């Protein structure tokens, strides 16, 4: 565990330290696109944060290659080199897109090429453990197609959810933490060396996200861009493919009793097409809903819009930070709930806890729709948003030479609700709405 913590800390430190210079470089290079209609930030923000994240990835793998307990991962497996090759290609494609813009179909082709490079170097799915049947061997063509599909789906799921400050990096970090717990248990709990690469990938991915998050939290000073979102999506997919298609259930059956029991014991992460759903279920759901919505409206599935889940949270009335925290909550519930169920699938308490937390999440999600109002006698003791709206006098100017104001014209009218701002804020009206404010003096 100490080697993994050291790798994580080095990756996070390098990513954090590189992000500042990368931000200055992005500003100098002009990688600050204008604000689009679907964006929620107020001013142009530099991209290319993926450069710092790729530097952290290289540093983490370099340090791990020289640690005594992790050196065997590089000696016995070619998967780290396969990951680095695919990550380099996808990162370069993302940098070009952040600076000059790349067509959606070209990006899709680049993602497939990066996945194919990893397949050629051995990072592929060899068999599918099916519950009730056992391991099903795949032909090279089937394994290649399934691997490429998983990589492309995961990359685009993370890319689509990258719409709010700190959202994509935080959700992927949560998914990587849950995935690390599971793969670490398989390696050290059962002594299966085949799970070592996936454990290393998860630790490095956590470091990349943690190092970038301080610069990306609201209000963000820099965006990861496609160079970062596609990169972390590929690393997450590589770990999922490694533990799915490389770990033999026959070896695990030595610890759980039988081959069929081994497959059942690992159902939550061993259904290959559903594996990304268990760790990034919210981004994948957002991806599927976006494809259906855009296709139904006659648009390209890659056309940008404001219909993503995080946009809908802002429309409901959540603030920017609260919308991000709600997405964090659901990601953590699904990811860690799946890991807990895979460890003790027969425990009823785990299901009850998951159901209870889901109910809490639904209440928090719909809270802006049901804002409680305090009774008249308690309005002095609660925040203003819980008070009933009072009648106000609206004074309208009649223009030059009209001679006076229309006093009393608005007596008895109810105050109109203030529309929500860019980030769900409502305090966007004129300061004349606060007539009793006074200046704060610095004199004592």
């Amino acid at each position: 565990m100490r080697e993994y913590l050291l790798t994580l800390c080095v990756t996070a430190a390098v990513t954090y330290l590189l992000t500042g210079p990368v931000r200055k470089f992005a500003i100098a290079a002009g990688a600050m696109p204008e604000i689009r209609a679907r964006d929620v930030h107020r001013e142009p923000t530099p991209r290319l944060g993926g450069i710092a994240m790729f530097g952290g990835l290289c540093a983490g793998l370099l340090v791990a290659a020289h640690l005594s307990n992790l050196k065997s991962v590089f000696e016995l497996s070619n998967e780290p080199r396969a990951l680095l090759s695919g990550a380099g290609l996808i990162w370069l494609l993302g940098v070009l897109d952040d600076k000059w813009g790349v067509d959606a179909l070209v990006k899709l082709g680049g993602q497939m090429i990066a996945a194919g490079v990893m397949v050629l170097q051995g990072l592929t799915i060899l068999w599918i453990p099916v519950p009730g049947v056992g391991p099903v061997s795949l032909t090279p063509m089937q394994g290649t197609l399934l691997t490429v599909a998983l990589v492309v789906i995961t990359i685009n799921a993370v890319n689509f959810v990258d719409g709010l400050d700190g959202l994509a990096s935080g959700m992927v970090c949560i998914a990587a933490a849950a995935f690390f717990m599971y793969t670490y248990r398989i390696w050290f709990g059962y002594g299966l060396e085949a799970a070592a690469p996936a454990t290393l990938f998860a630790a490095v991915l956590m470091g990349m996200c943690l190092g970038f998050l301080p610069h990306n939290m609201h209000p963000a000073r820099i965006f990861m861009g496609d160079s970062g979102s596609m990169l972390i999506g590929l690393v997450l997919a590589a770990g999922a493919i490694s533990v799915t298609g490389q770990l033999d259930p026959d070896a695990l059956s030595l610890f759980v009793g039988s081959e069929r029991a081994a497959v059942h014991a690992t159902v939550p992460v061993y259904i290959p097409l559903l594996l990304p759903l268990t760790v990034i279920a919210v981004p994948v759901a957002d991806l599927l809903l976006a494809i259906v919505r855009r296709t139904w409206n006659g648009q390209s599935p890659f056309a940008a819009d404001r219909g993503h889940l995080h946009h809908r949270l802002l429309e409901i009335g959540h603030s920017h930070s609260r919308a991000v925290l709600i997405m964090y909550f659901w990601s953590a519930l699904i990811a860690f709930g799946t890991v807990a169920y895979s460890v003790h699938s027969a425990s009823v308490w785990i299901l009850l806890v998951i159901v209870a937390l889901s109910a809490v999440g639904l209440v928090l999600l719909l809270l802006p729709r049901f804002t409680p109002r305090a009774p008249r006698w308690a309005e002095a003791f609660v925040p203003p948003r819980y008070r009933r709206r009072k009648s106000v006098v609206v004074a309208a100017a009649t223009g030059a030479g009209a001679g006076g104001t229309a006093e009393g014209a608005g007596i008895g009218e109810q105050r109109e609700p203030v529309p929500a701002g860019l980030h769900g804020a409502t305090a966007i009206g004129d300061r004349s709405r606060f007539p009793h404010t006074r200046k704060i003096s610095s004199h004592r």
Side-chain angles (χ1 to χ4, degrees), residues 245-331:
Q246 302 291 329
L247 185 61
D248 189 358
D250 292 337
L252 190 60
S253 64
L254 299 175
F255 299 90
V256 295
S258 66
E259 182 179 286
R260 182 168 298 184
V263 175
H264 277 290
T266 54
V267 163
V269 295
Y270 272 118
I271 302 177
L273 294 178
L274 300 181
L275 177 61
L277 296 178
T278 63
V279 289
I280 51 170
V282 176
V284 171
D286 192 20
L287 169 65
L288 297 178
L289 291 175
I291 293 176
V292 173
R293 180 179 64 252
R294 295 167 184 174
T295 305
W296 183 266
N297 294 330
Q299 300 176 343
S300 169
F302 301 99
D305 58 16
R306 287 182 59 90
H308 292 289
L309 295 178
H310 48 272
H311 290 137
R312 296 185 181 276
L313 289 176
L314 296 179
E315 293 175 358
I316 290 176
H318 292 288
S319 65
H320 189 291
S321 301
R322 191 190 300 170
V324 172
L325 292 177
I326 289 176
M327 298 285 279
Y328 284 177
F329 173 83
W330 283 104
S331 298

Side-chain angles (χ1 to χ4, degrees), residues 316-317 322 366-374 384-387:
I316 290 176
R322 191 190 300 170
L366 301 176
L367 191 60
R369 294 291 190 185
F370 305 99
T371 304
R373 298 299 178 187
R385 63 178 178 272
Y386 298 121
R387 301 172 186 171

Side-chain angles (χ1 to χ4, degrees), residues 42-59:
R42 298 176 181 270
E43 57 186 17
T45 305
R47 296 185 181 182
L48 295 178
I51 297 179
M53 305 180 81
F54 184 73
L57 171 66
C58 296

Side-chain angles (χ1 to χ4, degrees), residues 349-364:
W349 288 105
I350 293 179
L351 294 177
L352 293 178
V353 170
I354 293 176
V355 171
L357 292 177
S358 300
V360 173
L362 288 175
V363 172
L364 295 176

Side-chain angles (χ1 to χ4, degrees), residues 166-178:
L167 181 59
S169 52
M171 292 179 66
V172 173
C173 184
I174 292 172

Side-chain angles (χ1 to χ4, degrees), residues 22-266:
V22 167
R23 180 178 182 273
K24 296 181 179 179
F25 169 76
I27 295 175
M32 298 176 61
E34 297 181 357
I35 299 178
R36 300 161 296 185
R38 65 186 178 94
D39 292 333
V40 296
H41 54 280
R42 298 176 181 270
E43 57 186 17
T45 305
R47 296 185 181 182
L48 295 178
I51 297 179
M53 305 180 81
F54 184 73
L57 171 66
C58 296
L61 293 178
L62 181 63
V63 169
H66 291 82
L67 296 177
S68 58
N69 290 338
L70 297 181
K71 187 183 300 184
S72 60
V73 177
F74 296 83
E75 296 174 350
L76 302 177
S77 174
N78 199 41
E79 293 182 9
R81 285 177 285 275
L83 169 66
L84 193 58
S85 301
L89 289 176
I90 206 71
W91 168 77
L92 181 60
L93 177 64
V95 170
L96 295 177
D97 183 56
D98 290 339
K99 180 60 178 73
W100 292 285
V102 178
D103 185 73
L105 293 179
V106 176
K107 284 197 295 184
L108 180 62
Q111 296 166 6
M112 298 175 68
I113 293 175
V117 169
M118 293 195 300
V119 170
L120 290 177
Q121 300 189 51
L123 186 56
T124 183
I125 297 176
L126 302 177
W127 49 69
I128 303 176
V130 179
V133 177
V136 177
S137 299
L138 300 177
T139 64
M141 180 59 67
Q142 292 173 341
T144 300
L145 293 177
L146 189 55
T147 302
V148 171
L150 280 173
V151 171
V152 171
I153 290 174
T154 308
I155 288 176
N156 286 281
V158 176
N159 191 21
F160 276 33
V161 83
D162 185 24
L164 297 180
D165 298 347
L167 181 59
S169 52
M171 292 179 66
V172 173
C173 184
I174 292 172
F179 204 70
F180 175 83
M181 293 174 58
Y182 184 84
T183 54
Y184 186 83
R185 172 176 172 264
I186 292 179
W187 186 13
F188 286 92
Y190 297 137
L192 301 179
E193 291 276 343
T199 309
L200 176 61
F201 297 165
V204 172
L205 182 57
M206 279 192 291
M208 294 165 60
C209 296
L210 290 175
F212 186 73
L213 262 177
H215 300 274
N216 191 233
M217 293 300 292
H218 182 69
R221 301 178 67 247
I222 185 174
F223 294 151
M224 68 172 65
D226 281 4
S227 58
S229 61
M230 292 196 299
L231 176 63
I232 59 178
L234 182 134
V235 176
L236 183 59
I241 292 169
S242 176
V243 76
T244 302
Q246 302 291 329
L247 185 61
D248 189 358
D250 292 337
L252 190 60
S253 64
L254 299 175
F255 299 90
V256 295
S258 66
E259 182 179 286
R260 182 168 298 184
V263 175
H264 277 290
T266 54

